[in-house]
Amino acid sequence: MKIAVMPGDGVGREVTAQAVKVLKAIVGNQLPLELIEAPVGGAGIDAAGDPLPASSLEIAKKADAILFGAAGMPGDEAIPYAMRPGASLLRLRKELGLFANFRPAFLFPELIGASTLKPEVVEGLDLMILRELTGDIYFGEPRGIRITASGEREGFNTMRYTESEVERIAHVAFRTARLRRGKVCSVDKANVLETSQLWREVVTRVGTAYPDVELTHAFVDAAAMMLMRAPKQFDVIVTGSIFGDILSDAAAMLTGSIGMLPSASLAGNSKGLYEPVHGTAPDIAGRSIANPIAAILSMGMMLRYSFGRIEDANRVEAAVRKVLADGYRTADIYQPGSKRLGTAEMGDAVVAAVMR
Ligand code: IPM
Ligand code: MG
C-alpha cells in the first residue's frame, strides 16, 4: 500500500497524525505499508516556495492513495491565486482527475444530542452528497478581476459544465444509489442558469439507463431548506462543485460536528484522495483539541475504496463507534457527563478500540 501523506496546515497536521496512527494499528504487519509524507499548502510554501511543490505532486501521482489533512491559512484570499495555500488542494484534485467527491453525512446514534436539530429530525440520518469536483465555477475560465469601461473594478468567474462531465458524475450517482436506498436527488439552479439547465437535461437522460433508481431534481435553495427541514428524505444528492461545497457543510452540521465527517475523492479507478470535510480551523489549531475522527474515518474510506479492504474499513468504523459509546468526546462534540479528550488522546482511544 503506497500512500502519500499530506497533512498540510493547521489542524490538518494534528488530525492526519492520528489517522496514520490508527492505520498502522489496523494494518499491523499484515501488509507492507509505504507512507510518504509530502508538504502542501502553507507547509509547501515553507518547504519549497510553492503550495503544491512539484515533488509533492509527483509523490501524489505515484501513490495508490493520498491521505490529506487540510490546506490554507488565515488571510489566504489576499495571496495571488496560484500561490494560495488553499488552492493547492484544488490543483491537486484537478491534476489527479479526482472528479467524484463522496461526502457522507450520517449520524452516530451516540451523538444525537450533539446536533442542533431536533433528535426526531436527524435520528437515523444517512445521506451521501456526491459533489462533482473538477469542473464548475471553481475552474471555469475566464476568471479574474478587471477594470470596466467606467474605470471601476469588476470580479468575474465562469460557471461551466460539459455534457461529458455531467454524464460521468451522473453515472457515479446512479451506481452509488443502487448500493444504497435507490434514490438520487440532483441539485441545480436550472430556473436561472444555463449550466444547470444542461446539467438537469443530461442527468435526466443518464437516469433512463437506471430505471430502478428514483430520480428527483431540486433547486439548490429549496434543497438547502429541505436539508434542514427533513434531511432523511435524501439518499444520494448529486450536484456541481459550488453547490456541493455549500450543501456539504450544511449537511455536516446535521450530524453535530463537521469534525466527524470524512470524504473520498475518486478518479474513476481505485486511486483516491481522502480528507476530512473540515478545513484547517486556524482558531483551534495547535491546541490539540481538534477532533481527529473525520480524518480517521477518511482513512477508513481509503481502506474501503482504494484498497478494497472492507473488513479493515469496518474495523475502523466499529472502533470509532466503540469510543463514542464509551463516552469519549473531543471538545466539538462534548456533552456534560462525557469524557473530554484531546486530539492525540482520541487517536489513542481509537487505536485501543481497534486492538480490543
Ligand atoms: C472543501 C473546501 C475547499 C473547496 C476549499 C478549501 C478550496 O471548502 O473541500 O469543501 O471549496 O472545495
Ligand atoms: Mg467546503
Side-chain angles (χ1 to χ4, degrees):
M1 297 166 80
K2 193 169 180 157
I3 301 166
V5 180
M6 304 182 129
D9 307 316
V11 300
R13 313 193 64 75
E14 300 163 45
V15 298
T16 304
Q18 305 314 309
V20 167
K21 195 156 80 181
V22 178
L23 172 64
K24 286 180 176 161
I26 285 273
V27 175
N29 40 27
Q30 292 179 64
L31 277 178
L33 191 59
E34 196 184 335
L35 298 169
I36 313 160
E37 194 164 326
V40 286
I45 295 181
D46 292 345
D50 183 342
L52 183 58
S55 57
S56 295
L57 180 58
E58 202 48 38
I59 288 169
K61 282 187 171 163
K62 286 195 179 133
D64 301 318
I66 300 137
L67 266 187
F68 193 94
M73 296 190 308
D76 232 16
E77 54 286 347
I79 304 172
Y81 187 75
M83 282 299 286
R84 204 173 289 171
S88 60
L89 175 57
L90 300 179
R91 264 170 68 199
L92 195 56
R93 290 168 175 169
K94 189 74 174 174
E95 291 269 359
L96 300 179
L98 304 167
F99 71 92
N101 180 212
F102 291 85
R103 298 190 163 187
F106 49 86
L107 188 77
F108 286 94
E110 293 81 9
L111 293 186
I112 192 149
S115 176
T116 49
L117 275 84
K118 292 192 189 110
E120 61 271 27
V121 175
V122 290
E123 188 181 13
L125 178 84
D126 177 11
L127 65 88
M128 177 68 83
I129 295 190
L130 178 60
R131 173 187 179 198
E132 200 293 330
L133 204 57
T134 53
D136 206 353
I137 195 165
Y138 272 57
F139 294 97
E141 297 283 345
R143 62 185 298 157
I145 299 176
R146 64 187 163 203
I147 312 281
T148 65
S150 65
E152 67 167 340
R153 290 194 307 156
E154 177 188 47
F156 59 100
N157 291 86
T158 311
M159 180 178 270
R160 289 177 181 272
Y161 266 120
T162 62
E163 251 177 317
S164 58
E165 284 174 318
V166 181
E167 264 167 20
R168 177 170 78 161
I169 195 76
H171 281 291
V172 176
F174 290 112
R175 277 190 247 123
T176 303
R178 274 187 174 162
L179 302 174
R180 295 173 49 97
R181 298 192 302 281
K183 287 177 15 172
V184 169
C185 178
S186 171
V187 171
D188 61 41
K189 190 72 185 173
N191 50 343
V192 180
L193 307 171
E194 283 78 6
T195 312
S196 282
Q197 201 181 312
L198 182 75
W199 173 283
R200 188 175 285 221
E201 193 189 303
V202 174
V203 172
T204 304
R205 188 177 70 216
V206 172
T208 59
Y210 301 84
D212 50 319
V213 177
E214 177 197 309
L215 172 64
T216 54
H217 301 272
F219 298 136
V220 62
D221 51 348
M225 188 181 70
M226 281 147 64
L227 259 182
M228 296 301 119
R229 194 180 60 195
K232 283 187 276 183
Q233 67 189 284
F234 294 110
D235 180 17
V236 175
I237 294 177
V238 63
T239 188
S241 194
I242 188 127
F243 299 151
D245 178 45
I246 299 163
L247 292 181
S248 60
D249 269 30
M253 272 323 289
L254 299 171
T255 71
S257 172
I258 197 167
M260 295 296 299
L261 292 181
S263 80
S265 305
L266 307 182
N269 46 27
S270 66
K271 183 143 184 162
L273 180 148
Y274 300 85
E275 55 167 327
V277 170
H278 66 73
T280 55
D283 53 327
I284 62 161
R287 290 167 52 200
S288 295
I289 59 168
N291 187 348
I293 292 179
I296 291 168
L297 292 172
S298 299
M299 182 275 293
M301 289 183 93
M302 175 186 80
L303 292 171
R304 189 181 299 279
Y305 291 126
S306 282
F307 298 107
R309 299 188 67 84
I310 311 301
E311 249 167 59
D312 285 339
N314 290 342
R315 281 171 70 207
V316 173
E317 284 158 24
V320 168
R321 292 284 304 271
K322 212 177 297 173
V323 166
L324 294 172
D326 288 346
Y328 295 112
R329 300 284 187 275
T330 41
D332 55 318
I333 49 175
Y334 181 78
Q335 288 162 286
S338 58
K339 292 161 251 180
R340 192 192 297 251
L341 298 183
T343 308
E345 291 167 317
M346 182 55 100
D348 292 338
V350 177
V351 167
V354 162
M355 298 309 201
R356 253 192 274 163

